[in-house]
Amino acid sequence: LSILLNKKTRVLVQGITGRVGRAQTQWMLDYGTNIVAGVTPGRGGEEVEAIPVYNTVAEAVAKQAAEASVFFVPAPLVKEAAFDTIEAGIQLIVIVTEHIPVHDVMELRSYAQNRPVRILGPTSPGIITPGEAKMGIMPGNMFSPGRIGVISRSGTLSYEISIDLTAAGFGQSTTVGMGADPVAFTSMTELLELFEDDSDTDLIVIVGEVGGTQEENAAEFISRGMTKPVVAYIAGQNAPEGKRMGHAGAIIQGDKGTPQSKIAALQQAGVPMAKNPLEVVELVHRYL
Amino acid sequence: MRLFEFEGIKLFRQEGIPVPDYAIAENPQEARQKAEAMGLPVVVKAQVLMGGRGLAGGVQTAEYPDQVEEVCRSMLGSSIKGLPVSRAMIAKKVNVVREFYAGITLDTYNGTPVAILSSAGGVSIEEIARTHPEKVVSRQVSITDGLLLSEAEQMARQVGLVSDGLSRVASTLHTLYNVFRKYDALIAEINPLVQTSQGDYLALDAKVEIDDSSLFRHPELNTLLEERTPNLLEREGRQIGVTYVDLDGDIGIIASGAGLGMATMDVISQRLRPANFLETGGAITEELLYKVMHLVLQKKGLKALFINLYGGINPIHEGAKGIARYIQEYKVGIPIVAKALGNRQEETWEILEEAGVKVVTEVATEKGIEELIRLLEAES
């Protein structure tokens, strides 16, 4: 199996009629994702790739029993749209959209906290369970089925590491992009917990980067609650202080968010650290 | 986007946080006139987007009009930590009895605002927390309920305030939270918040950073974003919609994705020195890559360029056309190595090779950098 997503998951695409939503829907369908509905307010009754489009999420849930949703919704509209999605009872939301205001993220996160929903992102490349389904923008051909769980704060870097792993014979159970905004909806620790409990994952690869304290908190969980091996790479070991490195959250401010603090915390938790992406494969070899 | 002190002070005053009389001057004569109108003595403060200016001579008291001019003559046009000083804030000097710290920031991990209050102010809050943890109280704030006045009062009590002082400091903290929310701030900080000998409680400084992603709903703040990027190459990056960070090496980098860009920097740094970090974002087009080439190749002394792309939203050969067109038009002579994977990659490789780019078809960035090193060694 896998975490969060499989070939049966009934997926909804929000923002399906936009240029990006349309193209990505086609690629997700090609990969085998079970897309059952799309939503764009005001465009109900249309079809995209033979998928019915509804005006509201509630309608898509009622008519097509959608249970997970991937967002290609413009940043200023994400907050209100996601409130509706949660209200309609969707259990998994993947937010691909970049540049969502942090205050909106905090409001949504707080709203979602005591409700039965998990949100990935913002700025998530998506989630892929190779050979089964993908929700997001990652190219499907870069992943292959297997028993390694990958948690990444970065999109394209997770592609590269997944291809490196695949080339060495290590497929992935699920690759999850958690995004690299200052505030994430789902923490690295929560994703580690899911992989720890997944009987089809043997080892977890963390692809972290400078900024924030996700890796430090994950390290604490690893020493306390993980039995499965974890290996990690932290991008940005040469990032200058005070400069945002492309992601809103990727910034070193004073002694916060430094690669040194992340590497030290993870090492202390017994996690072998790769100095560059390819070394991840060597470290995985040690265990498997 | 970090606000200048005077912009933050203006926001504070507008929203009801008491501040001293102040004015802005761009030349010594203007400073003198404004100081005289306000009444001396005044404090002259260099307006730079950088902490620690006090130690660098960026904050000075002036007792007489001549002194205001003199201070401004040396301050305006100088630079502090590499940033040019083009404006000074003239603030009425007040007699300080006590200093406090008040701030609202983000607990990014838990995704909530945090209110912080301390009975020690003037130095950085990290330092206060280290040396006098007992003088600092902080509290996670529910984003839905906001910071209640009663909660702010409780915090003021915890740092030892009573009666009038308690209610005034609590009210300032409460209003500061509202500023933080209203303007989508990442941080809103008053350091120091002072009690004067006349019994007023004033914000003597303002550190406010606004979330760039929220600027669409703050048109009044959106105008000066580019102006705040002193590095011209970084500014050009902003204009074309990519992230460019200027570094001090000589190997240019173009990468599609922040994590990939940082990893590329890491690998290059093991043997060579990166000249920049550049992240294109996901929507690569011919036009964007053409502009990106123009940006990265402007840097003086560039020895080679490494391009590391994954197709995402668009097929990757579009971007390759932009790269090739630039190389042909500008007859670029330095070695260029490219690794480009994604939809229509074979077509992409053909376009790049025809333009004289060394294409690496392997996946690992490390292999691409090895190729770059081979090319550089063959040249020398």
Side-chain angles (χ1 to χ4, degrees), chain B residues 46-165:
Chain B
Q47 298 296 290
V48 281
L49 297 172
M50 176 70 78
R53 68 183 165 178
L55 293 174
V59 179
Q60 292 187 47
T61 302
E63 308 279 344
Y64 315 103
D66 284 349
Q67 210 181 346
V68 175
E69 268 197 69
E70 197 181 300
V71 165
C72 284
R73 252 196 301 276
S74 64
M75 189 181 283
L76 292 167
S78 72
S79 69
I80 292 182
K81 293 185 177 175
L83 296 177
V85 181
S86 59
R87 278 173 293 220
M89 181 167 136
I90 318 294
K92 178 114 178 170
K93 187 170 166 45
V94 295
N95 289 317
V96 174
V97 178
R98 278 182 83 181
E99 290 188 320
F100 301 89
Y101 167 97
I104 315 290
T105 181
L106 298 178
D107 174 344
T108 54
Y109 189 73
N110 292 300
T112 67
V114 192
I116 305 170
L117 189 64
S118 170
S119 57
V123 291
S124 82
I125 188 65
E126 290 81 8
E127 174 144 6
I128 301 169
R130 206 166 31 240
T131 52
H132 294 289
E134 75 286 354
K135 292 184 178 170
V136 181
V137 291
S138 70
R139 168 178 198 122
Q140 277 193 6
V141 181
S142 152
I143 187 97
T144 33
D145 301 337
L147 179 69
L148 306 179
L149 188 56
S150 59
E151 292 168 342
E153 284 169 351
Q154 196 188 358
M155 291 176 71
R157 204 169 295 122
Q158 283 167 332
V159 299
L161 282 154
V162 290
S163 63
D164 184 54

Side-chain angles (χ1 to χ4, degrees), chain A residues 174-197:
Chain A
T174 303
T175 292
V176 191
M178 57 178 287
D181 277 23
V183 174
F185 288 115
T186 295
S187 69
M188 196 174 269
T189 298
E190 290 170 283
L191 293 169
L192 282 170
E193 279 178 76
L194 293 173
F195 278 124
E196 171 72 11
D197 292 340

Side-chain angles (χ1 to χ4, degrees), chain B residues 24 29 31 54 143 151 233 278 285 294 298 315 329:
Chain B
I24 288 297
Q29 296 72 34
I143 187 97
E151 292 168 342
L233 295 175
L278 185 138
T285 60
H294 179 73
Q298 271 175 57
E329 279 177 24

Side-chain angles (χ1 to χ4, degrees), chain B residues 213-230:
Chain B
S213 298
S214 78
L215 290 174
F216 68 88
R217 58 189 176 211
H218 302 289
E220 74 283 10
L221 298 173
N222 199 1
T223 48
L224 295 168
L225 190 55
E226 279 164 20
E227 207 183 285
R228 277 155 220 269
T229 310

Side-chain angles (χ1 to χ4, degrees), chain A residues 19-20 24 27 76 98-104 106-107 109-110 137 139 142 154 156-157 159-160 163-164 182-184 187 189 209-210 212-214 217 233-240 243-247 250 253 255 275-279, chain B residues 106-113 130 143-144 180-181 184-186 209 211 213-214 216-217 234 243 245-247 256-260 262-263 265-267 269-270 277 279 282 308 310-315 339 341-343 363-367:
Chain A
R19 188 179 60 85
V20 174
Q24 294 296 335
W27 290 336
E98 294 180 78
H99 306 304
I100 302 174
V102 179
H103 284 234
D104 290 6
M106 289 194 290
E107 279 184 65
R109 195 179 185 278
S110 147
I137 58 172
M142 298 183 176
S154 140
T156 46
L157 185 56
Y159 311 166
E160 174 146 330
I163 310 175
D164 288 341
V183 174
S187 69
T189 298
E209 64 181 44
V210 296
T213 57
Q214 289 290 344
N217 285 284
Y233 167 68
I234 305 293
Q237 291 168 30
N238 297 280
K243 301 266 188 187
R244 281 208 162 78
M245 305 303 285
H247 285 145
Q253 284 166 311
D255 52 4
K275 282 191 291 299
N276 48 51
L278 202 50
E279 217 181 87
Chain B
L106 298 178
D107 174 344
T108 54
Y109 189 73
N110 292 300
T112 67
R130 206 166 31 240
I143 187 97
T144 33
F180 171 86
R181 279 292 278 151
D184 277 287
L186 300 174
E209 184 174 358
D211 179 9
S213 298
S214 78
F216 68 88
R217 58 189 176 211
E234 293 180 2
T243 307
V245 175
D246 205 4
L247 302 169
S256 64
L260 185 70
M262 285 190 274
M265 254 171 58
D266 290 347
V267 177
S269 298
Q270 290 170 1
F277 164 89
E279 196 273 290
N308 201 355
Y310 282 89
I313 290 166
N314 301 322
K339 183 167 85 63
L341 302 168
N343 274 336
V363 170
T365 294
E366 290 85 342
K367 304 285 179 199

